[in-house]
Amino acid sequence: MAQPKTMTGNKMTIALGDGATAEEFNAFCGINAKTVNFQTNTNEDFVYDCDDTDSPPWRELTKSGRFVSITGSGQLDTSVLARYQEAYDSDEAVNAQVILDVLAANGGGYWEGAFMFTQFNITGNNGEKVQVEISLESDGAVTWVDAS
């Protein structure tokens, strides 16, 4: 039996760029539930069989677009609250990465692209830590870079 190469969830992080010329990416501490979702939009056509026009046509799909969504939630690290707010308030996309922090041989690397901050929720319950939820949507191509 061949063992699968796996990683723990703490090896996956969401990081935002600082916007500087030599951009640095900083992972959000406290975000402990992360999702990256790759989606494709399609157009559909129903194409008839010219030899059998009485039978129902088959659907054919044409890929019309792709995009990536990133979501994260966890405990609010108040030291980055201003960065969350700045990214949400911006009318411009921010550069972001989803990092799989393991060796390249084990599938490590990161996805990187420009993203719009589309959701920013803060929730607090008495007697519990304040929670944060973020959502980002890609604004252009997202690329994969193997770990070095």
Side-chain angles (χ1 to χ4, degrees):
M1 179 177 128
Q3 285 292 111
K5 294 179 181 178
T6 63
M7 65 186 80
T8 59
N10 61 328
K11 293 293 186 181
M12 179 179 175
T13 57
I14 301 169
L16 286 188
D18 61 9
T21 303
E23 194 159 36
E24 291 187 26
F25 288 83
N26 299 297
F28 287 130
C29 182
I31 297 288
N32 55 26
K34 292 94 38 178
T35 302
V36 58
N37 185 21
F38 299 87
Q39 299 179 60
T40 299
N41 287 345
T42 59
N43 292 325
E44 68 178 9
D45 291 293
F46 287 88
V47 179
Y48 285 92
D49 179 344
C50 292
D51 293 332
D52 185 8
T53 57
D54 288 334
S55 66
W58 282 97
R59 180 177 75 155
E60 292 184 3
L61 296 177
T62 304
K63 188 180 282 191
S64 62
R66 298 183 293 180
F67 63 100
V68 177
S69 301
I70 299 171
T71 60
S73 63
Q75 294 177 348
L76 176 63
D77 174 3
T78 58
S79 71
V80 295
L81 180 57
R83 183 65 180 118
Y84 285 128
Q85 192 67 53
E86 177 186 29
Y88 177 77
D89 288 343
S90 177
D91 292 334
E92 303 296 323
V94 296
N95 291 326
Q97 295 177 337
V98 175
I99 304 163
L100 301 180
D101 189 17
V102 295
L103 298 173
N106 293 329
Y110 59 89
W111 291 279
E112 182 175 346
F115 288 82
M116 294 294 287
F117 226 90
T118 58
Q119 181 180 323
F120 174 42
N121 295 328
I122 297 175
T123 306
N125 294 314
N126 291 349
E128 298 176 6
K129 302 288 185 190
V130 172
Q131 301 292 302
V132 64
E133 295 176 314
I134 58 172
S135 296
L136 300 92
E137 298 283 336
S138 62
D139 183 26
V142 176
T143 58
W144 171 258
V145 177
D146 286 330
S148 51

